[in-house]
Each structure stands twice: as C-alpha cells, then as structure tokens.
C-alpha cells in the first residue's frame, strides 16, 4: 500500500514540479464527548512548516496542551493533531497549513462532537409496595435524544394494549397498581437511529407485600397457680418475610424469665401463669411494606380450692347437725355433697341474691348454697348417718374435694344371720356382728349362763373389733338350739338370739329332660327343693343299661348349674339315668330314673360343641392345669383337641398345641408371674372345629422371700444334703467295684489284691501250675492270650507285603521263642498218656446279631510249657493250616471273645480238636482225643472262646470217650489231615499276647 502511495506522490512531484499539496486523514471526524481522537496531516512536496489551526483560528502550538489539543511533528512531511477527552467546545473546523517559502498549501477537517447513549440513573433493584403506582426510573442521555423502549420478560411493553403501563416523557415506566405478579427484571433500551447506536440496562423490580396476620386462637385459656404455661401464637405472611413481636399493655415483650419467643417470634410462651397475666396481647407483624397487628386474649382460670370445712359429732336421735364447706375458684365453683353412693346437690348454681335450696324427699337432708359457701344439714340423726361425707367444688377447669366426718354415737346394733346349720362332729361358727359407737363388749349366753362355761369343752369364742365368733363342735343333739349374743357400750345394750340347727342331706334333684346324642347326653335338672341347710358341693350322675350295673361320675356344683353332660355312650342304645346331690352332711336320695335312647351315628354330622373348661392350680405358681369336659361330639368322634393361649396384654398367640382325642387336660408351665392369660380349647371332628372353650386366669404374684422350713420337717441344710449325696455316690462306686472284682476280675479292688497282697482274683488260675511254670518265664504273672482273627479283618499291611503295624491286638510283651525254626503256630495240643482231657464246647450267641459266630472252649488238666511265637501276616494270609511243633507244648488259654456268654452247660456240645504233631509224638492214638471231662477244675483250666464269622466251619462232636463223635451225621476222621482241614476251615488268624492286653484292647476274661 505504501509503495503505491509513493509512486503516486512521485508522479505528482514530477507533474507539479515544485507545487505543495496537503491531505488530512481522516477527512472528517465525529467524536463522542469524553472520547479522544487524532488526525494526520500529510504534505506532498517540500514543506518546511506544517501547522494546525483551531476552529477559532488560533495556531495550535506543539507545546501547548490547552483545551485538550496536542500537535506533534512526526517527520518532514506529516504532523498529527490529537483531541483528548473531547467536549462540546472541541467541535469545529480544524486546518492544516504547509509552507515552504512563498509556497503554501492547506487542508481542513470538520470535527463534530456528539453525546453517546449514557444511562445516568437506572438503579437496580427498585422496590415498590403492592397496590401503589410504580415509577420505574431510567434516565438516559444522548445527542440526539434517544428513543426509549421498555421490555419485561423478553417482551416489549406496549402501553397502547395495557393501560396499566405508561412510558413517561422522561423515559420512565409507570405501572399503575403494581402487583406481585409484576415483579421481575425490566429492560430499559435506548436507541439513536442516526448513528445506529443502541444500549440497555436491566433493572430488577421488587414488589413488597404488606403483612397479613392471623391468630391461631383468638382466645387462649390457662389455669393459674399450677405452674402451667400458656402459648399464644399468630402466623404472619408477607414479602419480605415480616418480623413478629408481641406487646402487652403497650409494652414490647422480650425473652426472659417470664416470657419466651421462638426464632421467628410467632409463638409467645407465658411461664407460670398467674391471674394477673390475664388480658389482651398484641401480635405485631412488620416489613418494608408496612405493619399489621392482631389481638389475642388470655383468659386465666383458677381451679377450685376448698378453703374451709368442719367435722361434727352428734348422738343418735339428735335434732340436727350441719356440715359447712367453702371454696374459691374462677369461674365460681359449684359445691356438691355425697355420702357413699348418694349425692346431694342444689338445683341450680347459687346466685348472690337467692341461694338455691335442695331438700330430700324425707326432708331430713337439706343443702343450702350461697356464692362460694355450701352447707349440708342432717335432721333426726340416725346411726346410719355416721361416716365420711365428701364436699366437692367443681368448675369448668377442675375440681377439689375434702372429706368431712360425722361421728354419731349410738347403742349397739347386732347384725348377721340368725340361723346356722351344721351336724354332729362338724364345727360351726355363729357370727355376731356388732355395729356400735363407741365400741361394744360382746358376751355369749345359753340358757342364762355365760359361755364358755367351765364344763363345756366344745365351745370357743373369737373376737374381732366388730364381730364375735362362737365356734361350736356339736357332740350331741343337746348342742343344737338357741344362743344369745349381748353387746353393751356407753350408749346402751342390745341382745339377739341365734339358732344352731341340725343340717340334713339335700333332697333329690329333679331331672326335667335328657337330650341324647349319638355318644353323649345332656341332662337338664332342677336343684333340690331342700339343701339341708348347707350348700350343695357336688352332683352325682349315674347311668346304666337297663338291668345292668350303674356307672357314675361326680360333678362339682356351680352357681345356676342346670345342665350336665355325660359322655362315653353307645349310639342307638337305651339308658337309664338318675341323679343325687351331695352337701357337707352327705349324699341325698337319688332322683327317679329317667330313660332315654341315644341317637344313631348321623351320616350328616356336624361340628362338636365347645368343651367346658376349668382351672386347677399347680404348686409353684407359674404352672396351671386346664381341665376340660367333653360335650356333644356332633355325631362324629373327636379327632383331637387344639389348645392355644396367650397373655392378654400381647396380641400374638403361643404356638397351637394338638392333643389326642382322649386327652382331658393340659399342663401349662413356664408362665409369667402376675400375668392374666386367656386359653382357647377347640374340639375337632371329621366335620370341623367347635367353637372355642374360653377361660381366663391370672398367675400368682412373684414371691419375694423364701418361706422358712415347715415345722416338723427334716430341717436339713444344703450342706447336709450334699454330704448325703456324696456318701450315697461313694457307696454306689464301692458296690460296682466289688461286682467287677468277682465277675470280671477288674476294678480297684482287683488292682489292690494283685499289687499289694499278691493274690489273684476269684476263679483265676494259680501262678504256679501243677506241673511246670507259666508259659512266660520272664514274667510269671503274664499268661498268653489267644486271639483269633478272621480274614476279613486283614489290614492293608497284611495284604501288601509289609511289616504289620501295631494295633489293638499287637502283643505288649515279646515272648521268647522256643526254637529258631519254629513255624508260625499258636498252640499245639498233644494228647497225653496221663489222661489229658480236652473238652470243647460249641455255643451259639443267641442274643448277638452275628448268630453264625461260634465259641470254642478248650480245657486241659495237665498243661505243659508252651512256646509262644509271633504270627506272620504273610503266612497267616496265605496258609491257614497249623504246622506241628517239634516240641509239643501246651499253654494256658484265656478267653478273649467279645461274644455274649455261652449257653448253659446243659446245651453245650463237646467238640474234638485234632492237634497237629509229628508222627513220632502221636503215639497214644486217637482214643485219648475224645476224652471229655464232665466237670473241669476251674483253677486248672482256661476257656478259649473263638469267634468266627464262618457259618459252615466243620466241628467234630464228641459225646462220650468211647462213642464216636458225629458232626451232622458224619463220623469224624482221626487222622492228621482231618485235623488240618478243620483248622483251615476256621479261617482264623491267631496271635498270642500277654494277659494285660485285654485291658488295652477291650477283650476281658470271662469267668
């Protein structure tokens, strides 16, 4: 752009030669008041001077800054005029003059000064009171004057359409009768069309609403002198939120000892109300829009208070006596009188001028009332007037009462029943109740003689302040008759005759009708005409089939008892029924028998009738027994009874209990103390449930002390009882120990006998055998134990080629082997020429579940030394045959079987066991193998019981030493192969362990 200008200026210089030209940029200017602007004067040609001139023609010097004008020479060809903060005086034509000698050129620019849109006064917010004419201020200045437009909520306000709006000449907006809905933001917009200038201001308009006030209660009632409080409240609305204050008698109330206000002041609490607090209280609500007031009245009432009363004393038959009562209160109280259940009151509220008068029908009681005083006048005084009179003062807010006593002195009055019934041997009390003031002394007479007389032993007298009891135990008819009671005090004497009459048994009740059902019947009857003088306590009902014996049941008598239900009858059966009554004297005559026939079992049955309930208390207080009497079953047998109960103060029932059809009672235990319970019992048959039989009861009070021991009891303390229990327990242990000693050779006693006395238990073998020592030479007290195990009991080690792990049957002591080449064998039995006797008995455990197990008992009379060896698991699992020992040995055997005891000897069958031995040793032949001993010596024999799970293990039976033994009809072979086969079939694994093993593995010797 500069290059083009330079080219132009170059051409001008060339074309005009030495001519000077001046140009001002911008060529014209408009400046808003207060703004600043500069103008550039550019000279074409050679000019030595460039000057600016003000509209007044004065040269503007470069050093002068007056009138906010400033000139600066930029370079040889330009000069700048700056107008700072233009004002109205700054307007005009400014001239730029360029000179070079006699050559001169100039240019002018016209500067116009204008006022831009300026909001001088447009406050926000602007507040108005609802209902007044609002003038919304918006003062705007500009040149030329602007055009004002008002907007509300984005819409242009058009006064032509809404007469409430008016735009004033000064641009203000007037709203006539402004409302709360007119509140909001208003836009005051100014426009200058000539310049296209626009500006606006937003103003918030707030409409304040005058408070409205409303008292919650225009009148508040309070009671004085009872430390009560009164609450006065008013609710105020308005905008802004009004403040509430209270005033009483033109004094503003503040929070303190007497008054308290809540946060917003709407509630005033008056503390400890007195009569002086009564009056009007002003509630004041105030805000920017103004204030409102509301009056609340406080009415203070005074409860009645009896300030005076008097007691009186009179004598019977006096003319009159007056009781007086005076009371205060606001409103004035009404005074009434009462004596027992009888109330005396005046007809209307007494006035100051005419007191009302109440007079009883017999004119003996008169009530007079005047203002706050009332009197009760009693005339013709009777002894029944004596007692406590109540004066009651009442008004609308309360009442007060005081008791006054009228003391009447009168002669004794004897009360009570004149006839008393009893029978010989039954003590009876004749009660002489004496009403007298002052108290009277009582004396009993009979036939003019004072009782008790020295020659009477069956009469006793008990006295209380008001009753004298004469207790008579009739011994004969002479004790029945008339007795006199005489009472005496200072006012007089009174006597009365009492009769003691011989009681009789009651007459028979009269059966009115019998209502039969299929299995029950309801007997309706009338009470006996004569009770015999004493109450009936039971009724006896008897029924029978015609010509059969009577069946009866007694029922406790109850008040107004007219119906009795008998149960357990057969359908479609004719019965006879009769009744009798029982009192204390005895049972009366039976009524005439009535005949009835029960109904058949109905196909269309119905629900049973509700059972009849009765309560029987149990010892302890927290348990109760509920009995019920079955009623009509509805033609269908009772299936069961449903019982439920609960405490009355709770709503939830305890879980329902179901009892069998034959049940007649239920025992409720674990009940709470002093609690009322309700019990429902329902009978149910095939058709449904009956209505519940309902009964209520209250449990006893919880005892607070433990009663002393009953006189005549044992009186044993807790320590004595514990000591007795310890002694009994010790004796029981001693008895068990002695039993174990004699039966099982065990227990503490057995241990003492062996370790301290060196003695064996009863039935045990002697330590030293008749020939030779015991099998174990290291420890003579140890005897080998034989245990036979079946193949099913093998452990994995026994089946799996490994060493046998210790278990319950592992020997506790390692016996010495007899020879190095001894084969795995337990016992070798060699027949002896010395008449060795072997008895084998086979018994089956009848009571054991394993009925197929057998017991083998072996007895030897002359045992020889045995060489016990260990049994190899491998050999025992692969070979069940017993190998012969080079040295035949016999050792004592101990029973290890856990099977039940063997059967009696009468059913035992002898059995032959062929021992495996070398041929050279077997010289005696088979004859001695079947030798049996009928009575083996218990001290020289041991029983070996072998329990086997094999059902068909072959056994050789031997009944006599000279008779071949048979087993299932077959003759037993006597060679070695037969014996070997028999042992194989036993499939037993045999180990020997010391005789202490039974205590470790639970296998004990049995005698």
């Amino acid at each position: 752009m500069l290059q083009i200008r330079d080219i132009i200026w170059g051409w001008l210089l060339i074309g005009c030669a030495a001519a000077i030209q001046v140009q001002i940029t911008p060529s014209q200017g408009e400046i808003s008041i207060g703004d600043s602007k500069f103008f550039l004067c550019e000279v074409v040609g050679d000019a030595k001077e460039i000057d600016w001139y003000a509209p007044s023609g004065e040269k503007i010097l470069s050093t002068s800054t007056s009138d906010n004008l400033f000139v600066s020479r930029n370079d040889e060809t330009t000069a700048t005029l700056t107008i700072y903060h233009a004002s109205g005086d700054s307007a005009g034509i400014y001239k730029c003059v360029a000179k070079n000698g006699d050559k001169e050129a100039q240019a002018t620019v016209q500067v116009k000064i204008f006022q831009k849109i300026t909001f001088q006064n447009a406050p926000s917010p602007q507040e108005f009171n609802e209902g007044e004419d609002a003038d919304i201020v918006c003062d705007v200045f500009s040149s030329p004057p602007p055009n004002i437009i008002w907007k509300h909520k984005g819409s242009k306000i058009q006064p032509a359409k809404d007469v409430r709006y008016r735009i004033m000449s000064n641009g203000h907006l007037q709203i006539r009768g402004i409302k709360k809905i007119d509140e909001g933001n208003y836009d005051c917009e100014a426009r200058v069309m000539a310049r296209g200038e626009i500006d606006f201001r937003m103003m918030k308009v707030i409409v304040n609403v005058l408070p409205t006030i409303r008292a919650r209660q225009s009148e508040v009632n309070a009671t004085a002198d009872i430390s009560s409080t009164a609450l006065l409240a008013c609710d105020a609305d308005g905008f802004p939120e009004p403040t509430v204050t209270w005033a009483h008698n033109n004094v503003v109330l503040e929070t303190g000892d007497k008054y308290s206000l809540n946060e917003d002041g709407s509630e005033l609490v008056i503390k400890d109300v007195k009569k002086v607090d009564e009056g009007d209280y002003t509630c004041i609500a105030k805000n920017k829009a103004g204030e409102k007031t509301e009056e609340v009245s406080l009415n203070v009432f005074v409860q009645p208070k009896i300030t005076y009363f008097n007691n009186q004393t009179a004598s019977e038959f006096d003319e009159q006596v007056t009781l007086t009562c005076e009371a205060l209160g606001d409103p004035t109280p009404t005074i009434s009188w009462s004596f027992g259940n009888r109330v005396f009151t005046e007809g209307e509220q007494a006035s100051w001028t005419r007191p009302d008068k109440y007079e009883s029908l017999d004119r003996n009681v008169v009530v007079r009332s005047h203002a706050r005083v009332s009197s009760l006048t009693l005339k013709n005084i009777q002894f029944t007037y004596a007692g406590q009179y109540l004066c009651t003062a009442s008004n609308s807010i309360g009442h007060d009462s005081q008791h006054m006593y009228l003391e009447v002195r009168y002669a004794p009055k004897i009360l009570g029943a004149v006839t008393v019934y009893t029978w010989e041997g039954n003590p009876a009390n004749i009660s002489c109740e004496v009403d007298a003031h002052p108290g009277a002394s009582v004396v009993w007479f009979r036939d003019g003689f004072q009782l008790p007389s020295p020659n009477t032993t069956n009469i006793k007298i008990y006295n209380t302040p008001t009753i004298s009891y004469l207790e008579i135990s009739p011994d004969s008819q002479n004790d029945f008759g008339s007795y006199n009671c005489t009472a005496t005090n200072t006012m007089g004497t009174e006597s009365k005759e009492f009769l003691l009459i011989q009681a009789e048994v009651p007459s028979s009740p009269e059966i009115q009708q019998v209502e039969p059902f299929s299995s029950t019947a309801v007997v309706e009857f009338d009470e006996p005409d004569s009770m015999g003088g004493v109450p009936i306590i039971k009724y006896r009902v008897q029924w029978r089939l015609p010509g059969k014996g009577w069946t009866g049941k007694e029922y406790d008598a109850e008040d107004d008892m007219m119906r009795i239900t008998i149960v357990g009858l057969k359908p479609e059966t004719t019965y006879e029924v009769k009744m009798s009554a029982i009192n204390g004297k005895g049972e009366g005559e039976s009524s005439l028998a009535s005949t009835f026939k029960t109904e058949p079992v109905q196909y269309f049955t119905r629900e049973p009738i509700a059972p009849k309930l009765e309560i029987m208390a149990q010892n302890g207080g927290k348990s109760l027994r509920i009995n019920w009497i079955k009623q009509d079953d509805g033609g269908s047998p009772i299936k069961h009874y449903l019982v439920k109960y609960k405490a009355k103060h709770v709503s939830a029932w305890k879980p329902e209990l179901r009892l069998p059809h034959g049940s007649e009672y239920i025992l409720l235990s674990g009940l709470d103390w002093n609690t009322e319970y309700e019990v429902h019992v329902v009978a149910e048959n095939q058709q449904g449930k009956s209505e519940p039989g309902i009964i209520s009861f209250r449990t006893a009070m919880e005892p607070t002390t433990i009663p002393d021991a009953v006189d005549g009891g044992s009186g044993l303390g807790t320590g004595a009882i514990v000591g007795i229990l310890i002694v009994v327990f010790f004796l029981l242990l001693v008895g068990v120990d002695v039993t174990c000693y004699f039966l099982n050779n065990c227990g503490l006693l057995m241990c003492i006998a062996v370790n301290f006395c060196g003695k064996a238990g009863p039935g045990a073998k002697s330590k030293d055998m008749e020939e030779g020592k015991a099998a174990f030479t290291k420890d003579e007290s140890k005897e080998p134990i034989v245990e036979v195990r079946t193949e099913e009991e093998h452990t994995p080690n026994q089946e799996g080629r490994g060493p046998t792990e210790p278990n319950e049957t592992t020997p506790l002591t390692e016996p010495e082997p007899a020879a190095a080449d001894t084969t795995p064998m337990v016992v070798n039995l060699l027949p002896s020429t010395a008449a060795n006797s072997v008895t084998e008995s086979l018994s089956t455990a009848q009571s054991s579940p394993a009925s197929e197990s057998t017991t083998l008992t072996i007895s030897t009379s002359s045992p020889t030394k045995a060489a016990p060896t260990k049994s190899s698991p491998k050999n025992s699992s692969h070979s069940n045959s017993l190998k012969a020992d080079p040295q035949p040995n016999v050792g004592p055997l101990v029973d290890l079987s856990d099977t039940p005891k063997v059967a009696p000897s009468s059913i035992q069958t002898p059995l032959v066991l062929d021992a495996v031995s070398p041929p050279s040793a077997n010289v005696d032949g088979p004859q001695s193998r079947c030798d049996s001993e009928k009575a083996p010596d218990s001290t020289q024999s041991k029983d070996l019981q072998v329990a086997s799970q094999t059902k068909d293990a072959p056994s050789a039976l031997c009944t006599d030493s000279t008779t071949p033994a048979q087993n299932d009809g077959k003759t037993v072979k006597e060679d070695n192969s037969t014996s070997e086969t028999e042992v194989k079939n036993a499939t037993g694994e045999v180990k020997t362990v010391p005789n202490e093993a039974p205590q470790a593995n639970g296998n004990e010797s049995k005698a």
Side-chain angles (χ1 to χ4, degrees):
M1 186 70 183
L2 292 177
Q3 293 176 354
I4 296 174
R5 188 181 64 180
D6 293 341
I7 293 173
I8 294 173
W9 281 108
W11 284 106
L12 288 174
L13 290 174
I14 294 172
C16 298
I20 300 175
Q21 292 183 358
V22 179
Q23 182 179 359
I24 298 175
T25 304
S27 59
Q28 63 179 3
E30 292 184 351
I31 305 175
S32 174
I33 293 176
D35 289 348
S36 300
K37 198 168 186 177
F38 72 91
F39 296 92
L40 181 65
C41 178
E42 296 178 299
V43 177
V44 178
D46 187 13
K48 294 182 178 180
E49 297 180 5
I50 303 176
D51 301 313
W52 281 93
Y53 294 86
S56 61
E58 296 181 2
K59 181 179 178 179
I60 302 172
L61 301 177
S62 60
T63 60
S64 175
T65 59
S66 62
D67 297 329
N68 301 325
L69 299 178
F70 179 79
V71 174
S72 62
R73 181 76 179 261
N74 301 326
D75 51 26
E76 297 294 332
T77 59
T78 61
T80 302
L81 170 65
T82 303
I83 303 175
Y84 289 101
H85 307 296
S87 63
D89 297 334
S90 300
I93 297 175
Y94 290 82
K95 180 172 60 174
C96 178
V97 177
K99 294 180 180 181
N100 187 2
D102 56 353
K103 295 181 182 179
E104 181 179 329
Q106 64 180 9
T108 60
V109 59
Q110 185 176 4
V111 176
K112 296 180 180 181
I113 304 300
F114 66 93
Q115 176 68 51
K116 68 178 180 179
I117 296 175
T118 303
F119 291 89
Q120 257 189 346
N121 185 20
S124 179
Q126 299 184 37
E127 298 186 18
F128 306 95
N129 293 336
E130 187 178 36
E132 66 182 11
D133 293 341
D135 185 3
I136 304 175
V137 177
C138 182
D139 294 331
V140 186
F141 298 95
S142 74
S143 57
N147 184 27
I148 305 300
I149 298 174
W150 286 90
K151 294 181 179 180
H152 178 48
K153 296 180 180 179
S155 300
K156 182 178 180 181
I157 296 175
Q158 300 179 9
K161 293 183 179 180
D162 192 342
V163 295
R164 294 176 60 244
Y165 297 100
R166 179 185 174 189
I167 299 177
M168 311 293 288
S169 59
N170 57 2
H172 296 184
L173 175 64
Q174 184 185 63
I175 304 177
R176 297 170 183 170
I178 192 169
K179 301 177 182 178
K180 187 66 177 175
I181 59 174
D182 296 326
E183 192 174 62
N185 294 324
Y186 287 78
D187 292 335
C188 176
E189 186 176 289
R191 296 184 179 185
V192 178
M193 299 302 295
R195 293 191 301 272
E197 184 180 3
I198 183 172
D199 198 0
F200 70 94
R201 289 289 184 273
M202 179 182 291
M203 290 164 288
K204 184 177 183 180
V205 174
I206 298 175
V207 179
N208 296 324
V209 181
L210 188 69
T212 60
I213 193 168
R214 179 182 70 260
R216 296 181 191 175
Q217 288 179 289
S218 59
E219 290 189 5
V220 176
N221 297 329
T223 303
D225 303 326
I226 59 171
S227 300
S228 64
T229 59
L231 174 65
L232 310 182
C234 65
D235 298 318
D237 294 324
F239 188 85
E241 186 74 22
T243 59
V244 180
T245 57
W246 290 84
H248 179 53
N249 297 332
N250 296 323
V251 177
V252 177
L253 306 179
E254 296 180 354
T255 298
D257 295 337
K258 184 64 178 178
Y259 307 101
S260 66
L261 296 166
N262 64 346
E263 292 182 359
D264 59 3
S266 62
E267 295 181 353
L268 171 67
V269 176
I270 304 174
K271 306 173 185 177
D272 192 15
V273 177
K274 304 291 184 182
K275 185 65 178 177
V276 295
D277 296 327
E278 191 173 54
D280 293 334
Y281 290 77
T282 304
C283 178
I284 305 168
K286 185 176 181 180
N287 67 1
K288 293 180 179 179
E291 70 176 33
K292 285 283 186 178
T293 61
E294 184 73 17
E295 298 291 335
V296 179
S297 297
L298 175 63
N299 301 319
V300 179
F301 298 98
V302 180
Q303 284 187 332
K305 177 78 174 173
I306 295 177
T307 58
Y308 175 80
F309 60 94
N310 66 328
N311 300 322
Q312 293 289 349
T313 301
S315 297
E316 191 176 20
F317 309 122
D318 283 355
E319 184 176 348
Q320 71 176 29
V321 66
T322 300
L323 303 175
T324 303
C325 184
E326 182 177 349
L328 295 177
D330 186 13
T332 301
T334 300
I335 299 176
S336 61
W337 296 84
S338 62
F339 177 66
N341 295 327
R342 190 176 181 185
V343 178
F344 313 108
T345 182
E346 62 273 24
E348 296 177 354
Q349 173 65 43
S351 66
W352 289 100
T353 58
R354 183 185 63 80
D356 286 333
K357 176 181 177 181
Y358 168 84
E359 193 170 311
S360 63
L361 295 177
D362 57 6
R363 298 178 180 274
N364 287 333
V365 181
V366 178
V367 177
R368 290 185 177 91
S369 296
H370 182 78
R372 296 179 173 88
V373 181
S374 180
S375 64
L376 174 67
T377 301
L378 304 174
K379 299 179 180 180
N380 301 323
I381 306 302
Q382 304 292 325
F383 79 96
T384 56
Y385 291 178
Q388 181 175 270
Y389 287 80
L390 182 65
C391 171
T392 303
S394 304
N395 63 11
S396 58
I397 61 168
H399 66 274
D400 188 24
S401 60
Q402 288 291 343
H403 290 98
M404 282 169 277
Y405 296 90
L406 176 61
E407 178 184 0
V408 178
R409 301 167 61 87
Y410 55 93
K413 315 291 182 183
I414 297 179
L415 311 175
V418 298
T419 59
V420 177
Y421 290 85
T422 187
W423 56 92
E424 294 179 7
N426 182 59
N429 287 332
I430 300 177
S431 301
C432 180
E433 183 178 356
V434 180
D435 190 1
H437 186 73
S441 60
V442 179
V443 180
W444 289 89
F445 297 93
R446 187 178 190 196
D447 298 334
F449 296 98
Q450 185 175 344
L451 299 177
S453 61
N455 57 351
T456 59
T457 59
N458 60 340
I459 295 178
K460 297 179 182 179
I461 296 176
Y462 304 96
N463 292 319
T464 68
T466 58
I467 303 177
S468 179
Y469 297 97
L470 179 65
E471 181 184 288
I472 304 173
S473 300
D475 294 334
S476 63
Q477 187 64 35
N478 295 332
D479 293 327
F480 295 93
S482 176
Y483 292 83
N484 177 272
C485 176
T486 300
T488 304
N489 69 355
T490 57
M491 302 298 295
T493 300
E494 177 77 10
S495 295
K496 190 173 184 179
E497 296 291 330
F498 292 87
L499 296 177
L500 182 64
I501 302 175
Q502 176 85 23
E504 302 294 339
V505 295
S507 61
S508 63
E510 183 179 354
I511 298 177
Q512 294 297 325
Q513 70 171 8
V514 180
E515 184 180 2
F517 299 96
S518 59
S519 62
T520 61
V522 179
V523 180
E524 298 183 7
F525 62 95
D526 290 337
E527 292 182 346
D529 295 333
S530 172
M531 305 293 182
V534 290
I536 293 176
I537 57 176
K538 290 180 181 294
Y539 286 102
R540 185 192 301 276
V541 181
Q542 296 176 287
W543 62 92
R544 69 174 182 179
L545 297 173
K548 303 294 184 179
W550 291 97
T551 300
K553 184 176 181 181
E554 292 183 357
Y555 300 85
D556 292 335
E558 299 177 2
D559 294 339
D560 301 326
M561 186 175 185
M562 307 296 292
R563 297 162 60 95
I564 290 178
T565 302
I566 57 178
V567 299
L569 305 180
K570 297 180 180 179
E572 292 189 276
T573 304
T574 301
Y575 288 91
E576 293 178 351
V577 62
K578 64 179 181 178
M579 290 184 61
S580 60
I582 303 173
N583 64 7
K585 179 70 179 292
E587 181 177 358
E589 294 182 356
S590 297
S591 65
L592 296 176
S594 296
T595 303
F596 67 93
K597 184 177 182 180
T598 54
E599 300 289 336
V601 176
Q602 301 179 8
Y603 294 102
F604 300 98
T605 56
R606 55 176 175 78
E607 298 84 1
I609 295 176
K612 183 179 178 182
L613 307 183
E614 58 185 19
I615 295 176
M616 294 188 66
Q618 300 290 314
N619 294 334
K622 297 182 68 174
S623 299
L624 212 69
R625 172 170 165 168
I626 307 297
N627 294 353
W628 57 81
I629 301 175
K630 174 184 175 184
Q631 304 297 308
D632 178 35
D633 58 10
S636 177
I638 301 295
K639 295 197 302 182
H640 46 252
Y641 291 95
L642 304 176
V643 181
K644 64 178 181 179
Y645 68 99
K646 72 177 182 69
K648 281 196 172 182
H649 66 275
V650 299
S651 58
W653 291 88
K654 299 288 185 182
E656 189 175 62
L657 304 174
R658 176 174 295 188
L659 281 76
H661 63 88
S663 303
E664 296 182 350
Y665 70 91
I666 186 173
L667 182 62
L668 304 180
S669 59
L671 305 178
D672 295 332
W673 295 107
N674 192 27
T675 303
E676 190 169 1
Y677 283 88
E678 180 179 347
V679 182
H680 288 196
V681 179
V682 174
E684 185 175 3
N685 64 6
Q686 193 67 31
Q687 296 302 314
K689 300 177 181 178
S690 69
E691 293 294 324
I694 302 175
I695 196 168
S696 299
F697 62 90
R698 177 177 288 276
T699 54
M701 297 288 292
E702 183 175 4
T704 56
T705 59
I706 300 175
D708 294 333
V710 180
D711 293 338
S714 63
L716 292 177
T718 304
I721 295 175
V722 172
I724 292 174
L725 293 177
I726 293 175
V727 171
V728 172
F729 183 73
F730 178 78
L731 294 177
L732 182 62
L733 289 179
V734 171
V736 173
D737 190 75
V738 171
T739 303
C740 293
Y741 174 77
F742 285 100
L743 295 182
N744 295 330
N745 300 332
C746 61
L748 182 62
L749 192 59
M750 179 66 183
C751 180
I752 294 173
V754 172
N755 294 324
F756 293 96
C757 300
K759 296 181 180 181
K765 278 185 87 65
S766 176
K767 290 182 180 180
D768 297 330
M769 309 303 292
E770 288 183 1
E771 296 180 9
K773 298 294 184 181
F776 293 95
T777 58
K778 287 187 178 180
D779 189 356
E780 295 182 351
S781 64
K782 295 182 180 180
E783 297 176 357
I785 296 176
V786 179
E787 178 183 358
V788 178
R789 299 180 59 189
T790 59
E791 289 182 349
E792 287 89 1
E793 296 175 341
H794 290 333
T795 61
N797 280 338
Q798 291 172 325
E799 296 175 359
R801 296 164 301 277
T804 304
E805 296 182 358
N807 54 28
E808 296 180 8
T809 60
T810 304
L812 301 180
T813 304
E814 195 74 66
E816 294 181 357
D821 57 349
T822 304
T823 58
M825 185 182 69
V826 178
V827 178
N828 289 330
L829 296 180
L830 181 63
S832 175
T833 57
N836 290 342
S837 176
V838 178
T839 302
E840 300 173 352
S841 60
L842 178 66
S843 63
T844 303
Q846 301 297 329
S847 60
S848 173
S851 59
E852 58 276 348
S853 65
T854 61
T855 301
L856 180 64
T857 301
I858 304 175
S859 300
T860 62
S861 59
S862 299
T864 60
K865 187 174 181 179
T869 60
K870 288 191 292 184
S871 177
S872 172
K874 181 178 179 180
N875 295 336
S876 62
S877 60
H878 292 81
S879 175
N880 294 320
S881 61
L882 297 177
K883 302 297 182 179
D885 191 276
Q887 300 293 332
N889 296 318
V890 175
L893 302 179
V894 180
D895 177 21
L896 290 178
S897 175
D898 286 337
T899 58
K901 296 180 179 180
V902 296
S905 59
S906 60
I907 61 172
Q908 292 183 357
T909 304
L911 183 120
V912 174
L913 178 62
D914 291 333
V916 180
S917 59
S920 61
N922 198 2
V923 296
D924 291 337
Q927 285 82 5
S928 61
R929 297 193 199 126
C930 287
D931 292 342
S932 61
E933 290 186 358
K934 302 299 182 178
D937 187 6
S938 61
T939 62
Q940 298 178 355
S941 64
K942 288 285 184 174
D943 295 336
L944 173 64
Q945 296 180 350
V946 181
S948 173
Q949 297 180 357
T950 308
K951 293 183 180 181
D952 54 353
S955 300
L957 301 179
C958 184
T959 60
D960 191 83
S961 59
T962 58
T963 305
Q966 293 182 355
N967 185 9
D968 296 334
K970 298 180 180 179
T971 302
V972 179
K973 297 181 180 181
E974 297 178 356
D975 56 9
N976 292 340
S977 61
T978 304
S979 299
E980 184 177 354
T981 304
E982 290 174 355
V983 177
K984 283 184 178 181
N985 291 336
T987 64
E989 179 188 10
V990 182
K991 286 187 177 182
T992 61
V993 295
N995 60 358
E996 288 87 1
Q999 298 179 3
N1001 59 19
N1003 295 324
E1004 298 180 353
S1005 301
K1006 293 183 174 53

